[in-house]
Amino acid sequence: MKKIRLVLALVVIIVVGLLIQKFWPTSDIKAYEFTGSIEKVEGQTMYMRGNYNVADHPELRDNGRSFDAKIKVKSDTKFVRINIYRPADLGAKLAAGEAVDPSTFRREVKSGSLEDLKSGMVKEAVIETSKSIYGKESFSAQSVTYYYPVDEEETK
């Protein structure tokens, strides 16, 4: 009788262990960065579609693995705005079919704000976090970095 109880206890422990192993979310992947397009900004929350940035797992950047994320902005969230100054003659060059290399545009790093993101001028952003966000669709931002287009004035 004691042997049957012992065998039943071992079977139950093994079954429970297998169920925990199968359904318990475990991952060695740590993601502290998210890049995506800004869908909308409401109050202190950004809604984005994008991917995790993990150097050891470039497959996570595949567009087929994009997902919707809800990013909360806190009072200590840092905003980094990178102004990209577009030349005054950019429109004419594009209309003429000339090749334009955006990497040659003048850039300037400044402090940014959530208001920039609400303006609609910013299409994409990089979110950094202090805790791993892998597997999460809602998280808080430690910093937000984005490019902000600025038209150069024509110099005469």
Side-chain angles (χ1 to χ4, degrees):
M1 191 65 132
K2 288 185 180 182
K3 286 185 179 182
I4 292 175
R5 287 185 183 174
L6 181 61
V7 170
L8 283 174
L10 286 174
V11 169
V12 169
I13 289 171
I14 290 171
V15 169
V16 169
L18 290 173
L19 289 173
I20 288 174
Q21 184 179 8
K22 181 173 179 155
F23 294 108
W24 193 269
T26 59
S27 175
D28 293 336
I29 298 174
K30 302 289 184 209
Y32 298 92
E33 202 171 89
F34 176 85
T35 299
S37 58
I38 299 169
E39 304 286 322
K40 65 181 176 178
V41 180
E42 291 180 349
Q44 298 296 108
T45 305
M46 298 169 29
Y47 296 87
M48 297 177 66
R49 179 151 191 85
N51 302 79
Y52 302 113
N53 295 338
V54 181
D56 296 342
H57 295 278
E59 72 277 5
L60 296 177
R61 300 261 317 136
D62 183 342
N63 284 337
R65 297 184 78 161
S66 295
F67 65 94
D68 293 325
K70 182 176 164 181
I71 296 101
K72 297 173 198 121
V73 175
K74 301 181 297 182
S75 60
D76 63 342
T77 299
K78 179 181 175 187
F79 289 89
V80 179
R81 172 177 160 162
I82 303 172
N83 286 348
I84 297 182
Y85 292 91
R86 300 181 294 197
D89 61 348
L90 178 62
K93 285 183 178 181
L94 292 174
E98 290 183 41
V100 177
D101 181 7
S103 68
T104 63
F105 295 175
R106 184 170 68 92
R107 296 167 190 245
E108 180 181 30
V109 178
K110 292 187 155 206
S111 182
S113 70
L114 187 60
E115 295 307 312
D116 286 343
L117 304 177
K118 289 179 179 179
S119 74
M121 294 290 292
V122 179
K123 303 298 179 207
E124 294 186 351
V126 176
I127 310 301
E128 293 179 355
T129 63
S130 57
K131 298 177 184 172
S132 179
I133 56 172
Y134 186 75
K136 297 180 180 168
E137 294 180 4
S138 180
F139 46 88
S140 296
Q142 183 176 14
S143 73
V144 179
T145 303
Y146 57 92
Y147 291 97
Y148 194 86
V150 178
D151 291 323
E152 292 266 23
E153 296 293 322
E154 257 187 76
T155 55
K156 297 185 180 185

